[in-house]
Amino acid sequence: MTDHLVLFMPSGKRGRFPSDTPVLEAARQLGVHVESVCGGRGICGRCQVEVQEGVFAKHGITSSNEHISAFGGNETRYAEKRDLKQGRRLSCSAKILGDLVIDIPQDAVVNAQVVRKDSDGRVIERNPAIQMCYVEVEEPDMHKPLGDLDRLLQAVEADWGFRNVAVDTYLYGQVQQILRKGNWKVTAAIHEPVDGGPATLVALYPGLKNEAYGIACDIGSTTIAMHLSSLLSGRTLASSGTSNPQIRFGEDLMSRVSYVMMNPDGREGMTRAVREALNELIDKVCTQGEIDRADILDAVFVGNPIMHHLFLGIDPTELGGAPFALAVSGAVNVKSSEIDLPLNPGARVYMLPCIAGHVGADAAAATLTEGPHRQDEMMLLVDVGTNAEIVLGNAARTVAASSPTGPAFEGAEISCGQRAAPGAIERIRINPETLEPRYRVIGIEPWSDEPGFDEAAAKVGVTGVCGSGIIEIIAEMYLAGIITEDGVINGDLAATSPRIIGNGRTFSYLLRDGEQRLMVTQNDVRAIQLAKAALYAGIKLLMDKQGIDHVDRIGLAGAFGSFIDPKYALVLGLVPDCDLERVKAVGNAAGTGARMALLNRSHRREIEATVTRIEKIETALESKFQEHFVNAMALPNKVDAFPLLAEVVTLPERSMDTAAADGVEPGAARRRGGRRNRG
């Protein structure tokens, strides 16, 4: 019987299954959590899934609705009596007939991804692009035949100084009714563009309207984070996040570009998916903030160049290869209604400028937040994701680049990897003498060796390792002597520890032996090495351009960067050596930058001017990239010393053993480790 390749999104877990395997059973075998409370009888409807159609080149999958069984009796009855959304199937009834990409809708996920991108609470000086202008308008006079709108604009100029104000077309038919309802006292919402162009009347309210709102949103390739703020007080009313539904089209950015190239309606499908997710988030933050969507008058969005283009409905194909041409690099100003975001009819959307072909508006927003261009110190700012964006500089000079790290840091392409969700291991410590691990799991308060863990784990489950946990386990394996500095798992240790298990000519480390066996394989270690080497090589190129051999300060940005322990980032060689006290997680700096641009239009001017001065370095064209990359494959690095790290962590002695990584039996790699700071 032929086995079919099935890929589940957004978890990225995949496996092969024979024909007629129920989709729900395949999900359970892979540890993909889909809720089902009726025992697979097609009654509860909680196990809904969606089949994604198209060619997914990266995974070697052509997915089609023809590769899943036809509607059965259970599904037909459920659809008639309850609600089965268009395109959805009941995974307990639908059976696998061919290769499939299956999307698990967020409302069907038991352990949904934890999107940890809350507002950082920063106080931002208020100078929004929307001004609420209360005016008292002169009533009509038969001897003064000036129209109601014209007298309104006269009052706005007299009281607020706005001259030659443009008017949104939709207001022409409403002005007279609003003026009379307010007894000639109204509040005009005026939008001031950054470029000094004419102001625009975008909304009009009867009487005094002393509140207006805006949203700031970071569209990440993996997660989307949104903040709702008062434009008058600057207060953040609500924050929410969700997985980016585009993950089902490809885990990394180039996979999504490939999907667009290979599917005629690929761009439209991804644009529609992200806009639908944004509209759901808007509803969510409005509910939390207890406001109406129509009260949102301004919005700021940031994202990497491919997210930027897809959000705006632009084909990103040109970003898939040299010279990585952006369709638009400058700031974008549009009406929200033009991009299918129904807010107030006059609401405006502003997108920060992109820095380069693969250094986007999110990097610009993070730069605005952390301000390397405003200080004398040499600061390194890194947003670690599927495509790392790197900014290095100070007030004298700032350079930027991107580096293709891929999705390994976020759990994809790792045998036990998963997104950050309840059940995912996020913190790990390995005893260097016994090689026994202890770990902490999202959704479970105690560590694995503490009372109460087993009881909690029985309820939540321990299903995989998320990004921050993957960083820690590789670094801990190195510190404990399980892997050499070149990333080879030391097979000699199999004689003394049951944790080291042979897999043909290589070895794996057994992290947990339970309902789901979690192991770190040699291929997993290699995937992390490749990702971290790509990032470090990009950083080294920027340091070369700046003519420096060290940095003064490091900021780890993004949801993933926020949860990396700086010590382990250094042990792994993710970033160059630096005083640990000066390596900080800076949170969702891109989201904070979006809030800054939302609440203060001066920040829009600042970042637009700053981006023009940032020098863009294309790593693919730099001859030294490969040399830096090869050196960075070692832990922490083959040639670069880490003396500041060595002051706080006892690093193993160097003992290179490259043969085993290439499939040769491990040789004389010896046990290293001993006592060290646990931190």
Side-chain angles (χ1 to χ4, degrees):
M1 185 178 292
T2 303
D3 283 350
H4 309 294
L5 181 58
V6 181
L7 171 68
F8 286 93
M9 289 297 184
S11 70
K13 293 186 176 181
R14 71 209 74 191
R16 289 192 172 274
F17 301 92
S19 292
D20 292 327
T21 301
V23 173
L24 180 60
E25 176 60 26
R28 285 174 171 169
Q29 287 186 33
L30 292 175
V32 177
H33 289 276
V34 180
E35 187 171 4
S36 177
V37 298
C38 68
R41 292 178 293 165
I43 299 173
C44 70
R46 303 296 293 274
C47 66
Q48 296 179 27
V49 298
E50 296 177 2
V51 174
Q52 299 306 314
E53 292 201 289
V55 178
F56 298 81
K58 176 183 175 182
H59 308 291
I61 296 177
T62 298
S63 179
S64 168
N65 275 302
E66 295 178 359
H67 296 172
I68 198 167
S69 60
F71 259 71
N74 287 347
E75 289 177 293
T76 301
R77 284 190 294 274
Y78 182 85
E80 290 173 352
K81 295 182 179 180
R82 304 283 291 280
D83 175 34
L84 192 59
K85 295 181 180 178
Q86 183 70 29
R88 290 196 179 183
R89 301 293 302 274
L90 297 183
S91 63
C92 63
S93 299
K95 296 181 178 179
I96 297 166
L97 300 180
D99 292 353
L100 288 168
V101 175
I102 300 287
D103 185 45
I104 310 297
Q106 286 297 292
D107 55 10
V109 179
V110 177
N111 289 354
Q113 179 176 357
V114 179
V115 180
R116 302 182 279 196
K117 288 190 175 182
D118 291 335
S119 166
D120 65 359
R122 177 180 304 215
V123 177
I124 301 168
E125 184 179 353
R126 193 188 60 80
N127 180 23
I130 296 290
Q131 298 291 326
M132 302 298 284
C133 305
Y134 176 76
V135 293
E136 296 184 4
V137 180
E138 184 179 345
E139 296 187 33
D141 187 333
M142 291 183 62
H143 301 290
K144 298 178 182 179
L146 205 59
D148 288 351
L149 176 60
D150 302 277
R151 280 182 281 104
L152 167 64
L153 297 179
Q154 279 186 345
V156 169
E157 180 179 350
D159 293 353
W160 295 90
F162 290 109
R163 303 183 61 187
N164 302 317
V165 175
V167 180
D168 269 3
T169 305
Y170 86 94
L171 285 171
Y172 285 120
Q174 301 180 16
V175 168
Q176 289 190 312
Q177 178 185 358
I178 295 171
L179 284 169
R180 284 158 179 79
K181 184 176 180 180
N183 195 26
W184 307 100
K185 300 176 180 65
V186 293
T187 301
I190 304 294
H191 176 262
E192 295 182 86
V194 174
D195 59 10
T200 304
L201 175 64
V202 298
L204 188 66
Y205 304 93
L208 175 64
K209 175 78 170 178
N210 61 0
E211 194 54 278
Y213 303 94
I215 53 174
C217 185
D218 172 21
I219 306 174
S221 55
T222 304
T223 58
I224 303 172
M226 182 178 290
H227 310 295
L228 172 69
S229 296
S230 164
L231 296 178
L232 276 67
S233 69
R235 184 169 62 94
T236 298
L237 280 74
S239 296
S240 189
T242 188
S243 297
N244 188 329
Q246 293 175 344
I247 289 174
R248 62 178 178 255
F249 301 101
E251 292 165 335
D252 58 66
L253 297 173
M254 287 302 101
S255 295
R256 296 182 203 179
V257 174
S258 296
Y259 186 86
V260 171
M261 296 170 68
M262 299 182 70
N263 295 275
D265 60 349
R267 198 281 304 159
E268 291 84 352
M270 277 193 269
T271 296
R272 181 171 56 254
V274 73
R275 290 180 180 176
E276 288 175 354
L278 290 170
N279 275 307
E280 290 175 4
L281 273 184
I282 292 169
D283 285 338
K284 194 175 294 185
V285 295
C286 285
T287 299
Q288 292 175 10
E290 299 181 342
I291 72 160
D292 189 271
R293 286 178 75 120
D295 287 330
I296 298 176
L297 295 174
D298 201 11
V300 173
F301 289 87
V302 300
N304 63 58
I306 291 173
M307 296 301 96
H308 170 283
H309 278 35
L310 288 171
F311 168 60
L312 292 174
I314 301 170
D315 189 327
T317 300
E318 293 298 328
L319 292 169
F324 310 108
L326 290 155
V328 54
S329 57
V332 173
N333 291 276
V334 296
K335 292 183 178 180
S336 66
S337 58
E338 295 173 341
I339 53 174
D340 302 325
L341 297 181
L343 306 172
N344 184 283
R348 286 338 195 231
V349 167
Y350 174 84
M351 286 203 80
L352 272 68
C354 291
I355 296 175
H358 283 293
V359 188
D362 53 349
T367 301
L368 178 63
T369 301
E370 295 304 312
H373 59 289
R374 296 190 291 261
Q375 55 190 276
D376 294 328
E377 289 184 317
M378 187 63 68
M379 180 184 183
L380 173 65
L381 181 61
V382 184
D383 191 336
V384 186
T386 54
N387 186 68
E389 294 170 310
I390 314 162
V391 178
L392 174 66
N394 56 18
R397 184 188 184 199
T398 305
V399 293
S402 67
S403 209
T405 53
F409 286 143
E410 296 181 335
E413 299 181 352
I414 303 298
S415 61
C416 61
Q418 70 164 81
R419 308 286 180 193
I425 295 174
E426 62 172 346
R427 292 279 178 261
I428 300 167
R429 302 291 181 267
I430 298 176
N431 186 304
E433 300 299 332
T434 65
L435 305 189
E436 288 299 305
R438 55 190 293 267
Y439 42 83
R440 188 167 184 178
V441 177
I442 297 175
I444 300 176
E445 187 63 27
W447 283 68
S448 60
D449 60 345
E450 294 177 346
F453 176 84
D454 291 338
E455 293 80 1
K459 297 178 182 178
V460 176
V462 182
T463 54
V465 185
C466 69
S468 60
I470 289 166
I471 296 291
E472 291 195 6
I473 192 170
I474 301 298
E476 281 278 315
M477 287 171 69
Y478 169 59
L479 292 175
I482 297 171
I483 57 177
T484 62
E485 66 267 24
D486 65 317
V488 179
I489 297 178
N490 183 359
D492 292 347
L493 298 176
T496 58
S497 172
R499 295 278 174 185
I500 309 301
I501 299 173
N503 307 109
R505 305 182 74 179
T506 61
F507 290 82
S508 299
Y509 175 73
L510 178 61
L511 176 60
R512 177 180 170 84
D513 194 4
E515 183 177 340
Q516 285 186 246
R517 209 172 197 220
L518 305 181
M519 302 180 72
V520 179
T521 69
Q522 184 64 67
N523 286 338
D524 295 338
V525 177
R526 275 291 173 263
I528 292 299
Q529 283 181 280
L530 290 168
K532 78 98 175 180
L535 173 56
Y536 193 93
I539 294 170
K540 283 290 291 184
L541 281 179
L542 295 190
M543 293 174 69
D544 291 345
K545 294 295 180 182
Q546 291 279 24
I548 61 173
D549 59 7
H550 73 281
V551 297
D552 299 314
R553 197 154 63 90
I554 298 176
L556 300 171
F560 176 50
S562 299
F563 286 87
I564 298 175
D565 186 317
K567 179 179 76 173
Y568 291 107
L570 289 168
V571 170
L572 193 66
L574 201 65
V575 293
D577 192 39
C578 187
D579 181 352
L580 262 179
E581 294 297 317
R582 313 208 78 194
V583 183
K584 301 291 185 183
V586 296
N588 182 21
T592 300
R595 286 181 56 236
M596 291 172 67
L598 174 70
L599 297 175
N600 192 322
R601 56 198 293 269
S602 297
H603 289 310
R604 303 185 188 187
R605 295 193 191 98
E606 177 188 352
I607 196 58
E608 288 177 18
T610 299
V611 163
T612 63
R613 297 194 299 270
I614 296 176
E615 299 173 43
K616 298 84 178 176
I617 308 301
E618 181 49 62
T619 56
L621 303 178
E622 296 292 329
S623 59
K624 290 200 70 175
F625 182 85
Q626 189 64 25
E627 178 186 339
H628 289 319
F629 179 87
V630 171
N631 291 334
M633 284 290 288
L635 303 175
N637 193 279
K638 184 177 181 180
V639 296
D640 290 350
F642 281 69
L644 295 174
L645 175 64
E647 292 177 5
V648 294
V649 176
T650 302
L651 295 174
E653 299 173 14
R654 289 184 176 269
S655 174
M656 302 298 283
D657 182 10
T658 58
D662 299 322
V664 179
E665 291 292 348
R670 59 191 177 83
R671 175 74 180 276
R672 305 177 312 281
R675 299 189 56 164
R676 54 189 171 88
N677 284 352
R678 301 305 301 166

